[in-house]
Amino acid sequence: MKILKQITLALIFVLTFEALAFSQVHDPSWRRIIYQSEDNWFATEEAKTIAENVLLYQRAIGGWPKNTQMQNPLSSREKAQLKSLKNSNIEATTDNGATTQELYFLSKMYQATANENYKQAFLKGVDYLLEAQYDNGGWPQFYPLKKGYYTHITYNDNSMVNILKVLQDLKDNTGKYAIQLPKEKFEEVEKAFNMGIECILKTQYKQNGVLTVWCAQHDEKTLQPAKARSYELPSLSGAESANIVLLLMSLKNPSPEVINAIDSAVAWFEKTKIEGVKIKREIDKETGKRNTVVVPDENGYPLWARFSELDDNTPFFSDRDGIKKAHLADIGEERRNGYAWYSTDPNLVLKRYPEWKAKYNTPKKKQEPKDPYNMVVAKDGTGDFTTIQEAMYAAKSFPYERVVINVKNGVYNEKVYIYSWNTHVSLIGESKEGTIITFDDYFKKIDLGRNSTFHTSTLLVEGDDFIAKNLTVKNTAGAVGQAIALSVNANRCYFENCAFIGNQDTVYTAGEGFKQYFKNCYIEGTTDFIFGEATVLFENCQIHNKSNSYITAASTPQSQEYGYVFKNCNLTADKNVTDVYLGRPWRFYAKTVYIECQMGKHIKPEGWHNWKKAEAEKFSFYAEYNCFGEGYKPESRVPWSHQLKKSQAKKYTKENILKSTTKWYQNL
């Protein structure tokens, strides 16, 4: 009996998983035609007639509407109406299996008939999937975008997983699809797939600092769990998360980040499974209506709630009024019987996990680099390490010669620490555009008290004589308050051809008496996005504002001759940004000087702000010299700022600003 039960469970899992994408299509006949028809059927006249319907339903943009029984005969009037809808592109979607199932049908038709029309419609559908993807790697429920919750990154009903499985089969050339992609399209598909996986990793929810699973939908900007319909509240989802994990488990040579994501999700599934009950659908004797109830069953398979609280995993239920209830029986008949409130899907994850873990999660012996002074980091495993932090762990402490860590192109989703004992380290990216270090910590997420800001950095440098070139450092938390991309608390540090991207508090330059040098770099943010007490020279850099606010917040110590010096920099902004201050004093003796910089019209005429500190007007030193552009209006600046004379500006040389016990800056 035990063996029979296991076989039955496995069969239920397989059938359930195959039907996941289409669980909301009420009439299953279209789904059966696509997935259960014999290959030779697709060459029949019946199949060709249906295929013509599929071509008619396809919108000009390449997608299809959902919940449509494509096999139903169409009248002349209906065909004319579909032709008129083509260019409107309305209701094109990937929800409920739409578009992905039509792509598979067209592939089967092309395989059976070699009809070029099916191939072109298929390729247009693939283009639709690529075009609909957000820059952050996610997909909305509808594209073109439809107002409302439809713009959220949508895992609900496995929409995004369905898309990624199509792209995965195409890029891996598994043979599931008979239509071959052109080389350039293959590269686009591969890039889109990788971006999608990165999005999955970035949206995995952290509960008190611990990775858990996913919500059915995530905000397309902040990536945080988001609300959909009134009864689909921000929550952790057992059903959708299971299929995300199954997708991650299908990846060949998974990265450490993917392995960690899977391990964390499995731990959550183990922690939150509901045992000793089952879902029963019975007929109410009094009303004669169907009623869904939870009843005891010690032999039942584990269940997971469709919605669990973000902070403590407590299951909840709700009617269309959006009010949370503790038990299924607490909500009304319509929602109680018309929605899948529990799922068995994570059982399949737990069933496959031990074999996957044995294959990919076996602890590896710490790898020693071939040359400890010249290491290579590569996501694809072709280097000494696959993560930057692994290389840092292997780096010599207080080395007698420079340690060079070459980082190949890739998105490295990790917090990187250059410790105080890791002096003379060079982090050299393959390219600024392709070598990206990213993480998403922010003040409230860290939640360690008033100084939480300083724990949010994606890249933290504490080792003196650090060099970084040709890479991008991002804090992707979004507009959620303080969130540092780069934190430098070290002396004699140099950054060249790098990009630092964030919102509030993008770059923190720390250390009384410390000297730091940014050359040919791009720095963007919203408020005080360059802040700190170090002496820093910014030369030939682009400083980009994303909102009306303040560029700098220097906290220069009183004893320091120089604070921030911007030379030959270009101050730019988003189109809607019109009111930006050059700086405000974090501490009274703040010093910030702009020399021969181009200032866009977004710079406010008054230029500087005292942060409501009258004393700062006496002690701070804010100055400009020979700048230009629409935002340079020296005659309108606040009276307590300065316009330098030529003789005064002469002292702002690289040597004077950066001089130290060594002439470390000479060859930079």
Side-chain angles (χ1 to χ4, degrees):
M1 288 298 292
K2 184 176 181 180
I3 294 175
L4 180 60
K5 184 177 180 180
Q6 290 175 340
I7 293 172
T8 304
L9 177 59
L11 181 60
I12 291 171
F13 284 155
V14 171
L15 292 176
T16 301
F17 187 58
E18 288 180 348
L20 284 170
F22 318 105
S23 58
Q24 301 298 316
V25 180
H26 302 297
D27 182 351
S29 53
W30 173 231
R31 182 171 74 243
R32 287 174 180 164
I33 287 173
I34 297 171
Y35 290 96
Q36 296 181 19
S37 299
E38 297 292 336
D39 286 350
N40 57 8
W41 176 85
F42 289 90
T44 66
E45 291 303 315
E46 181 185 11
K48 293 175 184 177
T49 299
I50 295 173
E52 290 306 307
N53 290 353
V54 173
L55 296 180
L56 279 172
Y57 275 106
Q58 187 179 28
R59 303 301 192 237
I61 199 170
W64 281 266
K66 65 177 179 178
N67 298 346
T68 304
Q69 297 303 312
M70 302 282 177
Q71 78 283 0
N72 291 344
L74 294 171
S75 66
S76 298
R77 182 179 179 182
E78 287 171 326
K79 290 179 180 179
Q81 186 178 16
L82 285 172
K83 288 178 181 178
S84 69
L85 286 174
K86 266 197 177 295
N87 290 323
S88 70
N89 294 322
I90 62 169
E91 299 301 314
T93 182
T94 55
D95 191 30
N96 294 355
T99 300
T100 55
Q101 61 187 5
E102 280 75 35
L103 287 175
Y104 187 57
F105 175 79
L106 288 173
S107 172
K108 299 287 281 185
M109 289 300 302
Y110 180 75
Q111 185 178 38
T113 66
N115 186 321
E116 189 68 16
N117 290 333
Y118 304 146
K119 178 180 179 180
Q120 293 307 314
F122 177 91
L123 294 175
K124 184 184 288 187
V126 173
D127 284 340
Y128 171 76
L129 298 181
L130 298 176
E131 184 180 338
Q133 187 176 31
Y134 286 130
D135 290 341
N136 60 25
W139 274 271
Q141 188 178 129
F142 284 83
Y143 187 81
L145 294 177
K146 186 177 177 180
K147 289 183 179 180
Y149 66 83
Y150 308 103
T151 61
H152 293 326
I153 294 169
T154 304
Y155 297 126
N156 192 41
D157 291 331
N158 309 298
S159 177
M160 187 160 148
V161 169
N162 293 338
I163 295 169
L164 287 170
K165 288 181 73 67
V166 171
L167 300 183
Q168 184 180 37
D169 283 320
L170 289 172
K171 81 177 186 67
D172 291 343
N173 197 21
T174 61
K176 180 175 180 178
Y177 296 96
I179 298 168
Q180 296 293 313
L181 298 178
K183 181 180 178 182
E184 63 276 9
K185 192 62 62 182
F186 173 86
E187 293 172 353
E188 287 184 51
V189 164
E190 185 171 39
K191 180 181 178 182
F193 178 81
N194 292 336
M195 287 173 58
I197 296 300
E198 289 295 334
C199 180
I200 285 174
L201 297 178
K202 287 186 290 187
T203 50
Q204 188 171 15
Y205 187 75
K206 273 189 177 180
Q207 187 182 84
N208 300 319
V210 178
L211 285 174
T212 57
V213 287
W214 293 263
C215 185
Q217 50 279 318
H218 287 250
D219 186 275
E220 67 274 19
K221 295 178 181 178
T222 68
L223 306 185
Q224 293 301 302
K227 176 183 175 181
R229 288 174 287 191
S230 58
Y231 53 89
E232 294 174 327
L233 303 172
S235 60
L236 298 177
S237 169
E240 279 79 11
S241 295
N243 294 288
I244 292 172
V245 176
L246 289 172
L247 174 67
L248 294 178
M249 289 172 69
S250 72
L251 300 180
K252 300 175 182 177
N253 302 316
S255 67
E257 293 84 1
V258 169
I259 291 173
N260 186 41
I262 295 170
D263 287 340
S264 301
V266 167
W268 187 88
F269 289 140
E270 289 284 9
K271 182 179 180 179
T272 60
K273 62 185 176 183
I274 302 167
E275 298 181 290
V277 298
K278 70 176 181 180
I279 307 304
K280 184 178 180 182
R281 289 175 175 82
E282 59 185 16
I283 302 299
D284 188 288
K285 293 180 180 179
E286 294 183 6
T287 65
K289 296 181 179 179
R290 186 183 66 175
N291 190 33
T292 303
V293 295
V294 180
V295 298
D297 184 356
E298 293 303 321
N299 297 317
Y301 303 120
L303 301 173
W304 284 262
R306 182 69 176 268
F307 302 135
S308 296
E309 293 282 11
L310 294 170
D311 56 353
D312 63 6
N313 307 317
T314 302
F316 68 84
F317 312 85
S318 61
D319 274 315
R320 294 186 183 274
D321 58 10
I323 299 173
K324 294 179 181 179
K325 301 294 177 64
H327 304 97
L328 182 62
D330 295 336
I331 64 175
E333 173 191 325
E334 185 263 339
R335 280 297 81 199
R336 184 171 67 249
N337 298 313
Y339 198 71
W341 291 103
Y342 291 93
S343 173
T344 60
D345 296 345
N347 280 307
L348 186 54
V349 174
L350 299 183
K351 185 173 184 293
R352 292 182 179 177
Y353 178 69
E355 182 179 354
W356 176 88
K357 184 176 177 66
K359 183 177 181 181
Y360 289 117
N361 220 23
T362 303
K364 296 180 180 178
K365 184 179 179 181
K366 290 295 181 183
Q367 185 175 343
E368 293 295 329
K370 297 175 184 177
D371 181 352
Y373 291 99
N374 198 343
M375 295 181 276
V376 177
V377 177
K379 292 280 289 184
D380 60 6
T382 57
D384 298 303
F385 304 99
T386 57
T387 70
I388 299 169
Q389 197 58 45
E390 284 179 307
M392 285 313 309
Y393 291 148
K396 290 181 177 292
S397 58
F398 306 108
Y400 290 108
E401 57 185 277
R402 182 162 289 278
V403 174
V404 179
I405 301 174
N406 297 286
V407 186
K408 291 189 175 182
N409 282 343
V411 178
Y412 297 85
N413 186 42
E414 56 178 308
K415 287 173 76 79
V416 177
Y417 294 140
I418 313 298
Y419 298 105
S420 60
W421 53 86
N422 292 129
T423 58
H424 297 89
V425 168
S426 290
L427 202 60
I428 311 298
E430 186 175 350
S431 71
K432 181 177 70 175
E433 297 74 22
T435 307
I436 301 169
I437 309 171
T438 181
F439 212 75
D440 60 357
D441 275 345
Y442 57 96
F443 188 98
K444 289 185 179 179
K445 180 179 176 183
I446 293 294
D447 196 23
L448 292 174
R450 64 185 303 166
N451 295 313
S452 294
T453 301
F454 306 105
H455 297 276
T456 63
S457 52
T458 298
L459 171 60
L460 170 62
V461 180
E462 294 181 336
D464 291 343
D465 299 289
F466 174 78
I467 293 175
K469 295 182 180 181
N470 311 328
L471 50 82
T472 293
V473 180
K474 294 182 178 182
N475 188 308
T476 57
V480 291
Q482 299 97 322
I484 299 173
L486 170 69
S487 181
V488 191
N489 189 9
N491 200 12
R492 301 180 300 274
C493 295
Y494 177 60
F495 303 86
E496 181 182 335
N497 191 37
C498 293
F500 303 101
I501 295 173
N503 286 278
Q504 183 174 347
D505 295 355
T506 303
V507 173
Y508 174 45
T509 60
E512 184 172 351
F514 287 176
K515 306 296 178 72
Q516 297 155 14
Y517 183 16
F518 291 73
K519 183 177 180 181
N520 299 329
C521 290
Y522 174 85
I523 305 173
E524 75 168 36
T526 56
T527 299
D528 303 334
F529 60 96
I530 301 173
F531 71 112
E533 66 266 27
T535 291
V536 188
L537 172 60
F538 299 90
E539 189 171 25
N540 300 326
C541 294
Q542 181 180 352
I543 312 299
H544 188 80
N545 277 85
K546 295 161 66 176
S547 71
N548 294 324
S549 199
Y550 309 85
I551 296 175
T552 64
S555 56
T556 318
Q558 183 178 3
S559 60
Q560 251 173 233
E561 185 175 3
Y562 300 96
Y564 288 155
V565 180
F566 295 84
K567 295 187 72 174
N568 302 307
C569 292
N570 186 13
L571 278 53
T572 60
D574 287 354
K575 289 182 179 180
N576 61 337
V577 176
T578 57
D579 295 295
V580 171
Y581 290 95
L582 295 168
R584 61 177 179 172
W586 185 12
R587 296 292 181 266
F588 288 156
Y589 295 93
K591 295 181 176 72
T592 303
V593 177
Y594 291 85
I595 296 175
E596 297 182 334
C597 292
Q598 180 175 351
M599 298 182 176
K601 62 182 179 180
H602 61 290
I603 300 300
K604 291 176 71 68
E606 55 267 43
W608 307 91
H609 193 278
N610 67 4
W611 210 333
K612 298 181 180 180
K613 302 171 184 175
E615 298 92 334
E617 295 184 10
K618 303 175 186 177
F619 303 125
S620 62
F621 185 80
Y622 287 149
E624 300 158 81
Y625 172 73
N626 201 28
C627 294
F628 57 98
E630 294 179 80
Y632 181 53
K633 297 182 178 180
E635 70 283 355
S636 302
R637 294 298 193 243
V638 293
W640 46 274
S641 68
H642 306 271
Q643 294 297 316
L644 300 178
K645 298 177 181 178
K646 185 176 182 180
S647 58
Q648 294 173 311
K650 282 184 177 180
K651 79 169 188 175
Y652 288 91
T653 64
K654 181 168 68 173
E655 184 175 38
N656 286 342
I657 297 165
L658 299 176
K659 62 186 175 183
S660 182
T661 53
T662 64
K663 294 189 176 182
W664 64 281
Y665 50 84
Q666 276 192 327
N667 297 318
L668 300 177

